[in-house]
Amino acid sequence: MNICFIGTGYVGLVSGVLFSDFGHKVICVDNDRIKIDKLNKGIIPIFEPGLDELVNRNLNSKRLVFTTDIKYAIKSSDIVFIAVGTPTAKDGISADLKNVYSASNIIANNINKYKLIIIKSTVPVCTGDDVENIIKKKNSSSKFTVVSNPEFLREGEAIRDFRYPDRVVIGCNNLKKTRSILEKLYEPIIKKGAKFIVTTRRSSELIKYASNAFLATKITFINEIANLCEKVGSNVEDIAIGIGTDERIGPRFLRAGPAYGGSCFPKDTKALIKIGKKFNIDMSVVKTVIKSNEKRKLLLADKIIKILGKSKNKNVGFLGVTFKANTDDMRDSQCLKIFPKLLKKGINIAYYDPTGKKKELENFIFRKSSDEIIKNSDLVIIHTEWDEFRSLNFNIIKNRKLKIFDLRNLYQPNTFANKNINYYSIGRKYYEKKA
Ligand code: UGA
């Protein structure tokens, strides 16, 4: 099949590359010339383990093309994916749909034969109707179907999530024409056992927001339970196992940590509230989740201040500053809310991240390794769960005292029983040695 992806951001790039790896001819288009030039040289603009190899393999086989020529891309394709960004708008809550509408207008002007138009971008319910209307209005004789097909890719795990998803969701109001094309497109994935869920376009659009909001709720719930565990001396990990083994609850996304962050949950939970508002529905659960998640970052900052104690000129070293491991993405990273609060208290902050220096943190000291952080800190904060942080070398502190606050529970508290280390974690008993 001839496919084009409008938008070569995270979702468009990963999905386009993987469809080409399934043997389709894929054109990935973007209006950022520098990005396209780099991609044509096999240079990947995002950090996603394994993606560079796939890009280079499919570029070499000529199944994958990167271009800025959107007209050529649309005209040459049977299937046009809209995979442009839908960031939070200026009002601070709605999804900004200008990229989706602009892509729809360009598609309308370039329909030369029947097109299956698939919206992969995360869009509020009824956006598919808007896209259909824009195209019909501009090009009334054109033949096309607009389908919703949300993505469920996690940054850092996107290749695996694309190949082995739990489900493929298709939302379409005219299935007669499209079902067999879509089944063929997703055949390699369905064959491996993914559920193929077919529903209306509006339902599919809402499934995406409901999924992200539900996962954000699960995380926020376990984080609040973790707060309670700390007070009553319970272990949040045991609680997660204890509740997660109930199939009605499920074990995943119950890792307590430093609040959820990233480019999706914060944006999509806010947008869901806005969608509810539009239809006069109070999304009170989601509102509470957002509030609790925001509060958590400040609560953790307070805990850090408390752990450090009163004395002046304290050095805190962060291990990892992105919103989670295996990504270089700083969007809505938890530490961006924690750092200012520590700064106000005169605390010195340094950080190390496996993906390098961050422009968002240019006023902070960047250290080149976790060893450097451990050597130069009174308190080490494990902020993300990179594998390399699971076997840190604490012997380098020699006889000096060190405090660790492990926001990802990478270690067992008793690991530090015989060390000169006070270990704090999330939702578990502290391992604090009195001076
Ligand atoms: C999320 C969803 O998981 C994907 O299914 C979805 O496709 C994507 O958003 C999107 O809408 O594009 P992502 O933001 O990449 O993916 O990252 P997650 O792995 O979901 O993590 C989000 C945040 O929750 C991170 O800060 C992570 O550390 C935190 N988290 C996750 C926890 O604190 N505990 C958990 O158990 C899981």
Side-chain angles (χ1 to χ4, degrees), residues 16-166:
V17 170
L18 279 149
F19 274 126
S20 74
D21 207 52
F22 285 169
H24 300 295
K25 179 116 208 286
V26 179
I27 305 173
C28 288
V29 53
D30 203 285
N31 53 14
D32 181 341
R33 174 163 290 285
I34 297 171
K35 190 201 269 182
I36 291 296
D37 288 346
K38 280 190 178 164
L39 281 164
N40 272 321
K41 288 181 195 142
I43 304 165
I44 317 297
I46 55 169
F47 180 93
E48 185 61 38
L51 190 61
D52 50 351
E53 192 198 321
L54 283 168
V55 167
N56 284 298
R57 184 162 80 213
N58 290 289
L59 267 177
N60 289 338
S61 72
K62 308 260 186 281
R63 279 196 302 266
L64 182 63
V65 172
F66 294 106
T67 181
T68 54
D69 188 346
I70 189 166
K71 292 179 185 169
Y72 149 77
I74 295 166
K75 285 185 173 150
S76 327
S77 303
D78 310 301
I79 302 177
V80 178
F81 276 93
I82 299 179
V84 292
T86 52
T88 302
K90 281 199 184 109
D91 67 4
I93 53 169
S94 321
D96 185 343
L97 295 174
K98 69 170 184 289
N99 296 327
V100 174
Y101 295 149
S102 141
S104 311
N105 275 302
I106 304 173
I107 294 170
N109 288 335
N110 292 284
I111 295 190
N112 53 341
K113 56 180 175 183
Y114 174 79
K115 302 279 171 198
L116 183 55
I117 299 160
I118 306 185
I119 305 177
K120 250 224 185 293
S121 305
T122 299
V123 292
V125 61
C126 298
T127 304
D129 303 22
D130 294 345
V131 170
E132 193 172 286
N133 291 334
I134 289 171
I135 300 173
K136 260 190 204 154
K137 211 167 153 192
K138 266 221 141 135
N139 190 345
S140 55
S141 61
S142 57
K143 301 229 173 336
F144 66 94
T145 309
V146 177
V147 170
S148 158
N149 171 217
E151 56 85 20
F152 303 104
L153 310 176
R154 286 165 303 163
E155 289 187 21
E157 313 279 344
I159 294 171
R160 195 209 149 274
D161 284 352
F162 185 92
R163 284 186 173 143
Y164 305 97
D166 293 334

Side-chain angles (χ1 to χ4, degrees), residues 319-320 352 354 370 382 384 386-392 410-411:
L319 291 178
Y352 159 70
S370 13
I382 303 177
T384 54
W386 286 88
D387 279 343
E388 66 174 80
F389 299 156
R390 289 176 196 273
S391 46
L392 295 167
L410 298 191
Y411 291 87

Side-chain angles (χ1 to χ4, degrees), residues 319 352 369-377 380 382 387-400 402 404 411 415-416 419-421:
L319 291 178
Y352 159 70
S369 66
S370 13
D371 280 3
E372 289 294 305
I373 287 288
I374 293 168
K375 272 186 210 156
N376 292 290
S377 305
V380 171
I382 303 177
D387 279 343
E388 66 174 80
F389 299 156
R390 289 176 196 273
S391 46
L392 295 167
N393 179 12
F394 294 113
N395 294 328
I396 54 177
I397 60 166
K398 303 212 166 88
N399 292 327
R400 186 169 67 82
L402 181 70
I404 300 168
Y411 291 87
T415 314
F416 302 95
K419 292 200 163 71
N420 221 357
I421 289 173

